[in-house]
């Protein structure tokens, strides 16, 4: 097994360019200002703690790329993962661009992996903080020739797990079509001058029967004002989010969910919930579904099945 130790003067991207697992990279405390691509399977990246080790960059969608075109959302990421069975722990991944109202989207972490496990991470940006592939089919067609295939297409099901993480942003800051579990995570909605925040923007196809599962997570304001935050809105028809035993503060709108502007995705979105604890009375959107105990238990059984792979949560 390969083992590397890097300091902030080291080039993580160069180290991961051709690295194949099993391999572990340990990052010393400090700030690593660089874009990173983890290509190899079975790679583990471990920091010295999410306050101590910070990987940061500041690309944004409306910035002009060296190829003469704008970066677009999907070239802005600070960390890109395309290897399978990748683990990232005990560090912060940040896109520091800010000002999404003028700069557009800015991804911190882009996961395009069959199996990914993040633990004790801080993932921080504003709009579109965390992308969990696959892409919606229409975007695969749109971005052919613009994005490399290794970043755009991946057959089969992607399973992404996040445990005890802090994820912050403003608009659609957890988005994509992966099967993902967030276990005991904190979602912090920052101030956005446009006035409304959205945490999750799922784009799952109808065939995906798990979607994004938020289990015993907290949704809190970190600058967003009272009632400015919606937990989810469907980026595409059939997007699925399940909230089990979660907690909300006064920043979260009592409706909890938004149908996405003037669309009719309230007719197709699959938003389910059970056991909310809130600092204010809730009146969830009527098109969302409150689960029975039996349905919630069945969902948890599916989630447990998601954990049965080599990088499973303990």
């Amino acid at each position: 097994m390969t083992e590397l130790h890097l300091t902030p003067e080291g080039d993580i991207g160069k180290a991961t360019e051709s690295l194949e697992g099993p391999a572990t990279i340990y990052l010393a405390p400090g700030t690593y200002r660089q874009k990173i691509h983890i290509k190899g399977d079975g790679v583990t990246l471990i920091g010295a703690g999410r306050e101590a080790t910070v990987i940061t960059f500041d690309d944004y969608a409306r910035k002009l790329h060296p190829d003469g075109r704008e970066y677009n959302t999907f070239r802005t990421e600070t960390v890109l993962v395309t290897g399978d069975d990748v683990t990232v722990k005990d560090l912060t991944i940040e896109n520091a661009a800010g000002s999404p109202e003028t700069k557009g989207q800015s991804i911190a972490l882009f996961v395009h992996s069959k199996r990914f496990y993040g633990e004790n991470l801080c993932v921080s940006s504003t709009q579109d903080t965390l992308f969990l592939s696959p892409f919606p089919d229409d975007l695969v067609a749109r971005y052919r020739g613009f994005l490399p295939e290794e970043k755009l297409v991946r057959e089969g099901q992607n399973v992404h797990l996040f445990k005890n993480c802090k994820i912050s942003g403003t608009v659609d800051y957890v988005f994509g079509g992966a099967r993902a579990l967030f276990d005991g995570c904190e979602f912090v909605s920052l101030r956005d001058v446009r006035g409304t925040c959205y945490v999750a923007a799922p784009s799952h196809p109808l065939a995906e029967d798990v979607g994004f599962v938020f289990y015993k997570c907290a949704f809190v304001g970190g600058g967003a004002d009272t009632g400015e935050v919606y937990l989810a809105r469907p980026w595409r028809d059939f997007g699925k989010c399940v909230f089990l035993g979660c907690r909300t503060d006064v920043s979260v709108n009592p409706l909890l969910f938004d149908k996405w502007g003037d669309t009719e995705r309230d007719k197709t979105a699959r938003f389910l919930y059970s056991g909310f604890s809130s600092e204010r009375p809730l009146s969830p959107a009527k098109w969302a579904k409150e689960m029975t105990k039996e349905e919630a238990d069945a969902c948890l059984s599916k989630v447990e099945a998601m954990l049965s792979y080599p990088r499973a949560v303990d």
Side-chain angles (χ1 to χ4, degrees):
M1 178 174 175
T2 302
E3 188 174 295
L4 301 175
H5 295 261
L6 297 179
T7 66
E9 292 73 34
D11 188 334
I12 307 172
K14 185 176 180 180
T16 59
E17 183 114 359
S18 58
L19 186 65
E20 287 292 337
T24 301
I25 301 172
Y26 294 94
L27 301 181
T31 299
Y32 298 72
R33 180 175 165 74
Q34 49 190 282
K35 288 173 77 80
I36 296 162
H37 184 180
I38 301 175
K39 296 182 179 181
D41 297 341
V43 173
T44 296
L45 186 67
I46 302 177
R50 64 190 193 191
E51 291 79 25
T53 301
V54 178
I55 303 171
T56 185
F57 214 75
D58 55 4
D59 283 337
Y60 54 91
R62 295 174 187 157
K63 180 179 177 180
L64 195 63
H65 191 275
D67 67 9
R69 297 178 286 186
E70 289 187 346
Y71 267 75
N72 172 280
T73 302
F74 298 103
R75 299 195 293 185
T76 62
E77 71 281 344
T78 299
V79 174
L80 169 64
V81 178
T82 57
D84 293 334
D85 295 308
V86 170
T87 296
V88 182
K89 300 172 62 174
D90 301 326
L91 53 83
T92 287
I93 299 171
E94 172 189 69
N95 188 314
S99 303
E101 70 280 2
T102 56
K103 294 181 178 179
Q105 299 88 341
S106 50
I107 295 175
L109 175 59
F110 182 137
V111 183
H112 187 59
S113 174
K114 287 292 184 194
R115 292 168 299 277
F116 174 86
Y117 175 42
E119 182 179 359
N120 193 33
L121 299 177
C122 178
V123 186
S124 176
S125 184
T126 51
Q127 185 168 347
D128 291 8
T129 301
L130 173 63
F131 177 63
L132 305 177
S133 80
F135 284 89
D137 289 343
D138 62 305
L139 291 192
V140 174
R142 182 189 306 176
Y143 292 135
R144 274 237 155 82
F146 179 72
L147 297 178
E149 287 292 300
E150 68 173 345
K151 193 174 184 179
L152 186 61
V153 178
R154 186 172 286 271
E155 297 294 333
Q157 190 176 76
N158 295 346
V159 179
H160 303 157
L161 308 175
F162 293 84
K163 184 172 184 178
N164 298 335
C165 294
K166 178 181 178 181
I167 302 168
S168 62
T170 58
V171 173
D172 304 334
Y173 61 93
V174 178
F175 69 119
R179 173 175 285 195
L181 169 67
F182 300 91
D183 182 358
C185 294
E186 181 181 36
F187 296 85
V188 182
S189 293
L190 308 177
R191 178 66 181 157
D192 191 296
V193 299
R194 296 167 291 186
T196 307
C197 295
Y198 306 92
V199 180
S203 59
H204 303 99
L206 183 57
E208 172 51 51
D209 63 349
V210 174
F212 292 166
V213 178
F214 301 88
Y215 178 62
K216 294 187 177 180
C217 292
F219 297 86
V220 300
D225 209 345
T226 300
E228 288 188 337
V229 179
Y230 291 87
L231 299 189
R233 63 174 181 167
W235 184 27
R236 293 292 188 275
D237 283 315
F238 309 113
K240 185 169 186 179
C241 286
V242 182
F243 299 84
L244 300 173
C246 293
R247 175 175 65 85
T248 62
D249 73 359
V250 297
S251 69
V252 176
N253 191 287
L255 286 174
L256 298 179
F257 310 115
D258 178 84
K259 69 171 186 173
W260 196 290
D262 60 358
T263 70
E264 294 188 349
R265 292 183 192 152
D266 53 320
K267 297 178 181 178
T268 59
R270 296 170 293 163
F271 290 175
L272 303 96
Y273 61 93
S274 176
F276 269 116
S277 170
S278 177
E279 294 181 6
R280 63 189 301 192
L282 299 177
S283 53
K286 289 183 171 36
W287 48 270
K289 179 181 177 181
E290 184 170 13
M291 305 172 77
T292 65
K293 183 181 184 305
E294 291 73 21
E295 289 169 333
D297 289 345
C299 180
L300 283 174
S301 294
K302 281 187 180 179
V303 169
E304 289 172 357
M306 289 168 57
L307 307 183
S308 59
Y309 75 95
R311 300 284 174 177
V313 180
D314 294 330

